[in-house]
Amino acid sequence: MDFTGKRVIVTGAGKGIGRVIAEILTARGASVIALTRSAADVEALRKDLGCVAIQVDLADAEATRAAARAAIPADLLVNCAGTTELQPFLDTTVEAFDHLMAVNTRAPMIVAQEYARERIAAGKGGAIVNVSSVASFIGIPDHAAYCASKGGLDGLTRVMAKELAPKGIRVNAVNPTVTLTPMAVKAWSDPQKAAGMLNRIPVGRFAESSDVAEVVLFLLSDEAAMVNGLAMPVDGGFMIG
Ligand code: NDP
């Protein structure tokens, strides 16, 4: 897939899956506009990949909208930034719940609104991919806020797909299983818990960031012209039960 000349917004491009998406897009000719939080990552994205990198805390709605406005116009959008906090349901705090909903669900909505408004005003189509999780389909202990936030993101994706496709913008989600990034190390460092998950993945391994990135790029591409509104597992068969 060739992205020569395409401007692509990637949130959470500083680390993990988002960074790999930015690397592969750049290698295939795209100009990446990165929205991410840590100053060191902003610098690295500029230096290593030549990205336009905008520092923003996506938990802050106003700052998110301002960053999205600074990032447009763009041909394509990947909402990849996400965060997690491990808390048993009974101990899930309002603060953690609100934070995860703000970063994982509300920020993708805000960035997509700004991206899509500009595309529609310019009379151009586009594509959006929201990076969700298999956590939107199943209940994972200690992930109440995370599962809720990703379930919300899938719901948002379906509504966006219905409302924006008639205007030429396709919207899909990808739903990875455990993917070996810093975030996964935080969530899956307990070997017993990891084994329980791994045993249910028929391909016998967790995902690499590039496994997820390649599916994201396919959904962004014109080759996926008839794919819209999907929540697509990237899970080695985990969801077949
Ligand atoms: P990482 O923690 O490795 O990277 C997340 C990126 O998002 C970082 O660059 C981080 O910046 C950025 N980010 C997080 N919070 C904010 C914020 N408030 N404002 C701005 N940027 C922010 O995570 P992954 O690569 O593992 O995850 C990427 C996506 O994939 C997430 O949406 C996650 O939910 C999803 N996912 C991950 C899975 C996994 O096992 N890894 C499985 C399924 C889905 P900084 O570090 O500076 O905060």
Side-chain angles (χ1 to χ4, degrees), residues 210-232:
S210 58
D211 294 323
V212 180
E214 292 291 359
V215 177
V216 168
L217 263 64
F218 168 66
L219 291 172
L220 287 179
S221 74
D222 291 341
E223 281 78 2
M226 267 311 273
V227 185
N228 186 45
L230 217 59
M232 186 181 211

Side-chain angles (χ1 to χ4, degrees), residues 76-156:
L76 303 163
L77 166 64
V78 183
N79 279 309
C80 187
T83 189
T84 192
E85 194 158 334
L86 301 190
Q87 293 175 330
F89 168 69
L90 292 177
D91 300 326
T92 297
T93 61
V94 167
E95 290 74 20
F97 187 89
D98 285 352
H99 182 68
L100 266 61
M101 293 302 290
V103 176
N104 295 353
T105 317
R106 188 180 67 192
M109 177 194 77
I110 293 171
V111 178
Q113 283 176 331
E114 297 302 324
Y115 159 82
R117 281 177 187 148
E118 192 285 326
R119 292 308 285 173
I120 293 163
K124 293 179 176 166
I128 300 171
V129 177
N130 293 325
V131 179
S132 181
S133 168
V134 291
S136 73
F137 304 132
I138 59 169
I140 305 176
D142 302 333
H143 285 71
Y146 186 75
C147 289
S149 72
K150 293 299 189 179
L153 183 59
D154 286 2
L156 185 69

Side-chain angles (χ1 to χ4, degrees), residues 15 17 36-38 56-58 80 132 146 150 177 179 181:
K15 295 186 180 72
I17 298 168
T36 198
R37 183 167 54 175
S38 295
V56 60
D57 181 356
L58 294 166
C80 187
S132 181
Y146 186 75
K150 293 299 189 179
T177 184
T179 307
T181 66

